[in-house]
């Protein structure tokens, strides 16, 4: 019964996505299944993260053929993978809500209301790929901001689409189902084409070499520092945690891991969330800047 309902639910979403946007889709593991339906390489077994792993060779399997879609999604509960390259999509994945709007505001630009899907942690903003430019998964000037990008270079990337269930029980849903799918704004294309933040170790691995590609080092470092601030206990150690995280952040920024302004913005946002006042945050970040600078000499 459960199986039938979930399958029907998925088929409804696949049909809606096909009718509305003609996306190229493929099946992905569903957290209600007893074990991961993802196709794993024998040498790289499942990492246990449920609901995100493609069931087969997704880049080849992705299709916009309605009969094939019906057939492939009818065999049980599945999440819905959307292939960005085949669908002509550039998707901005925000793990920190407001991150892209913050960047846009910082350069005096508006963030147009394109088709957006809420996820467990943040949202996916869907844009049309700019014609004649193949943007990949690199984040360029957006590195270190809690933003990840799925584009069209090589096999391209994929996103888990609306109608899918996250392992936490959160359903991926369109913010506004009627929202249009807009072309990627020029400022976003420029930002993604810009060189990532400078001065990384030239011997660094490829995965560390592209800014905040999910799991990339700058992203991990900044995420850990933000977590340190967010874990603060009210009234006791909020300020000292912010100070400690900010000194580390400036040290990393001075070595070129990410732009200091990105780190500063991320920590200021974390400080706001734990209830620190803007004045206090400003003062703490200022003395952390001085302390980190002193350590360099
Ligand atoms: Zn898996």
């Amino acid at each position: 019964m459960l199986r039938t309902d979930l399958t029907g639910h998925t088929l409804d979403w696949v049909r809606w996505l096909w009718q509305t946007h003609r996306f190229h889709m493929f099946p992905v593991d569903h957290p209600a299944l007893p074990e991961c339906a993802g196709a794993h390489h024998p040498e790289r077994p499942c990492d246990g993260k449920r609901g995100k792993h493609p069931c087969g060779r997704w880049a080849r399997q992705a299709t916009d053929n309605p009969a094939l879609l019906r057939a492939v999604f009818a065999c049980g509960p599945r999440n819905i993978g959307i292939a960005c390259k085949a669908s002509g999509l550039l998707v901005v994945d925000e793990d920190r809500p407001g991150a892209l709007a913050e960047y846009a505001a910082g350069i005096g630009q508006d963030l147009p209301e394109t088709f957006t899907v809420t996820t467990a942690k943040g949202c996916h903003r869907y844009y049309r790929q700019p014609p004649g430019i193949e943007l990949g998964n690199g984040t360029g000037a957006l590195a270190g901001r809690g933003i990840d990008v799925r584009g069209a270079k090589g096999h391209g990337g994929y996103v888990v689409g609306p109608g899918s269930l996250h392992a936490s029980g959160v359903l991926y849903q369109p913010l506004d189902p009627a929202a249009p799918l807009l072309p990627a704004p020029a400022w976003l294309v420029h930002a993604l084409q810009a060189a990532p933040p400078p001065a990384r170790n030239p011997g660094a691995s490829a995965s560390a070499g592209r800014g905040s590609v999910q799991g990339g080092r700058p992203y991990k470092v900044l995420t850990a520092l933000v977590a340190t601030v967010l874990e603060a206990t009210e009234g006791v150690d909020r300020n000292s945690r912010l100070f400690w995280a900010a000194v580390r952040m400036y040290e990393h920024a001075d070595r070129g891991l990410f732009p200091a302004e990105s780190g500063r913005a991320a920590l200021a946002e974390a400080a706001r969330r734990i209830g620190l006042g803007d004045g206090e945050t400003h003062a703490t970040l200022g003395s952390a800047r001085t302390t980190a600078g002193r350590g360099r000499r």
Side-chain angles (χ1 to χ4, degrees):
M1 190 59 189
L2 178 71
R3 187 182 162 90
T4 311
D5 286 344
L6 286 173
T7 305
H9 161 98
T10 305
L11 284 168
D12 286 346
W13 277 98
V14 168
R15 190 178 311 118
W16 183 78
L17 288 164
W18 182 82
Q19 283 168 350
T20 317
H21 296 295
R22 289 290 193 279
F23 290 150
H24 288 239
M25 293 171 271
F26 58 90
V28 169
D29 174 45
H30 190 287
L33 293 167
E35 57 187 44
C36 183
H40 294 284
H41 192 273
E43 283 159 26
R44 275 184 295 116
C46 187
D47 62 5
K49 282 192 191 138
R50 296 296 311 278
K52 298 196 169 194
H53 301 142
C55 296
R57 303 176 74 171
W58 66 269
R60 193 182 285 182
Q61 218 179 40
T63 180
D64 66 344
N65 179 308
L68 280 179
L69 285 169
R70 256 195 314 278
V72 81
F73 279 99
C75 59
R78 294 288 185 271
N79 275 346
I80 303 163
I82 300 175
C84 294
K85 183 178 189 166
S87 307
L89 284 174
L90 175 74
V91 178
V92 176
D93 177 0
E94 265 190 15
D95 270 351
R96 189 171 63 81
L100 191 60
E102 189 181 86
Y103 177 83
I107 57 167
Q109 297 287 351
D110 287 328
L111 189 59
E113 288 303 317
T114 191
F115 182 72
T116 297
V117 174
T118 56
T119 63
K121 274 191 282 184
C123 69
H124 291 158
R125 294 178 192 279
Y126 287 51
Y127 295 100
R128 292 189 191 288
Q129 281 274 350
I133 303 173
E134 250 195 12
L135 290 167
N137 296 349
T139 49
L142 301 179
R145 291 178 175 268
I147 292 170
D148 191 20
V149 175
R150 319 288 162 71
K153 231 173 216 161
H155 283 313
Y158 73 90
V159 283
V160 175
S164 300
L165 191 69
H166 188 264
S168 63
V170 173
L171 184 70
Y172 292 71
Q173 291 187 81
L175 200 57
D176 171 7
L181 185 53
L182 299 179
W187 61 261
L188 176 61
V189 176
H190 283 298
L192 295 175
Q193 287 178 309
R200 267 177 309 273
N201 175 1
S205 72
S207 70
R210 281 303 286 184
S212 75
V213 172
Q214 189 148 28
R217 186 163 134 70
Y219 176 85
K220 278 188 188 155
V221 167
L222 203 49
T223 305
L225 293 174
V226 164
T228 303
V229 176
L230 292 176
E231 282 158 14
T233 316
E234 195 177 349
V236 186
D237 60 350
R238 292 191 303 187
N239 224 325
S240 53
R241 273 179 184 252
L242 177 62
F243 179 74
W244 180 90
V247 172
R248 295 289 98 77
M249 181 276 288
Y250 280 123
E251 288 169 354
H252 287 300
D254 287 344
R255 288 203 300 272
L257 197 61
F258 43 71
E261 84 215 32
S262 311
R264 196 181 194 287
L267 291 184
E269 173 63 27
R272 210 168 297 136
R273 284 206 217 167
I274 59 166
L276 278 175
D278 284 350
E280 201 174 357
T281 298
H282 185 78
T284 303
L285 290 175
S287 49
R289 170 70 281 182
T290 311
T291 303
R294 219 178 278 136
R296 268 195 300 166
R297 272 172 232 137

